[in-house]
């Protein structure tokens, strides 16, 4: 189940931030489409579905980063935790 996930909390947090940036770009583009006189509904639908998928991935990755940070703090593993 954990295969393919980042093993350090900071790399998971960085990945979550990148995914959030992609979602913000999708939202900005969707707002731009809605301000046009003729709305391309298929492009808007694609951005909404894609943005939703990336938002869910960002949330899941952020939860994973929090779990890894708590584990690193509790166990005192080789990952340095700045308090």
């Amino acid at each position: 189940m954990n295969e393919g996930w980042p093993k350090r909390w900071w790399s998971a947090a960085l990945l979550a931030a990148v995914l959030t940036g992609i979602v913000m770009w999708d939202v900005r583009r969707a707002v731009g489409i809605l301000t046009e006189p003729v709305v391309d509904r298929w492009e808007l639908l694609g951005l909404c579905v894609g943005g939703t998928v990336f938002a869910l991935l960002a949330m899941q990755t952020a939860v994973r980063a929090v779990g890894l940070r708590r584990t690193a703090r509790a166990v005192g593993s080789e990952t340095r935790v700045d308090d």
Side-chain angles (χ1 to χ4, degrees):
M1 181 79 181
N2 290 333
E3 191 170 319
W5 279 96
K7 298 198 181 346
R8 302 202 186 273
W9 69 267
W10 51 267
S11 58
L14 183 63
L15 180 59
V18 168
L19 290 170
T20 303
I22 293 171
V23 171
M24 294 301 293
W25 182 85
D26 281 348
V27 168
R28 183 174 170 226
R29 181 67 184 121
V31 169
I33 289 173
L34 289 173
T35 59
E36 295 174 358
V38 177
V39 175
D40 183 4
R41 294 174 194 237
W42 289 110
E43 186 177 1
L44 184 62
L45 178 66
L47 286 172
C48 290
V49 170
T52 303
V53 168
F54 280 117
L56 291 173
L57 286 172
M59 276 188 345
Q60 190 175 10
T61 306
V63 168
R64 173 74 176 174
V66 169
L68 286 172
R69 180 165 169 98
R70 286 183 182 160
T71 302
R73 179 179 287 171
V75 175
S77 67
E78 75 235 15
T79 305
R80 182 173 178 211
V81 178
D82 297 332
D83 291 330

